[in-house]
Amino acid sequence: MDAWADKSIGSAFVLVFLYAGMTVLMAGCAELTLRVTPHDELPNAGPAPSAAARAGSSLLNRPSSRASARRIARALLLLNTCIGISFLAGCGMLWRSAPDPQVPTWLFAAMVLPLLVGVAATVVAAVGDRKR
């Protein structure tokens, strides 16, 4: 364990439990994204409406097509993978065998950079859908 927490299952595996919950949540969001009827399959969709008409037509933020829904679902799963990589860096620090209480300076970057990559990919997929 580290220099700040008592040794217990909860303190040793808190990041693993958080990631398991996050994986269930992200997989559920990806599945729901694939189940939403896209704009181009709605009965009153007609020929590709403008972005302003699509935005005002519903409170539900629908993907524009099935291909777009798949891109967004993949981006959500990529975000989940990036969260896992970030938590892996945290687990490496938490599970180190040396009793040194010093936190290395690279830990912040190792935890934040994967998150930024995952969020950027998700935003690009969602914004790219709005432009179509």
Side-chain angles (χ1 to χ4, degrees):
M1 211 47 219
D2 66 11
W4 298 284
D6 293 331
K7 293 179 182 178
S8 72
I9 297 294
S11 64
F13 293 103
V14 66
L15 291 178
V16 175
F17 297 146
L18 281 173
Y19 183 61
M22 185 64 67
T23 299
V24 169
L25 178 71
M26 296 300 268
C29 288
E31 177 64 26
L32 290 175
T33 300
L34 294 173
R35 288 181 178 234
V36 171
T37 305
H39 275 289
D40 64 356
E41 292 180 13
L42 290 175
N44 58 356
S50 68
R54 281 190 310 208
S57 68
S58 173
L59 294 177
L60 182 62
N61 193 7
R62 296 178 183 275
S64 60
S65 66
R66 287 279 170 209
S68 176
R70 282 191 299 273
R71 276 191 299 276
I72 293 170
R74 278 190 219 116
L76 287 172
L77 295 176
L78 175 67
L79 175 60
N80 184 57
T81 302
C82 291
I83 291 169
I85 292 168
S86 177
F87 280 8
L88 183 63
C91 285
M93 186 65 197
L94 187 67
W95 296 338
R96 68 182 189 258
S97 60
D100 183 20
Q102 296 297 323
V103 176
T105 56
W106 56 264
L107 183 63
F108 180 75
M111 291 186 77
V112 171
L113 288 177
L115 293 175
L116 292 176
V117 169
V119 169
T122 305
V123 168
V124 165
V127 170
D129 177 53
R130 297 292 145 222
K131 291 182 180 179
R132 290 183 175 93

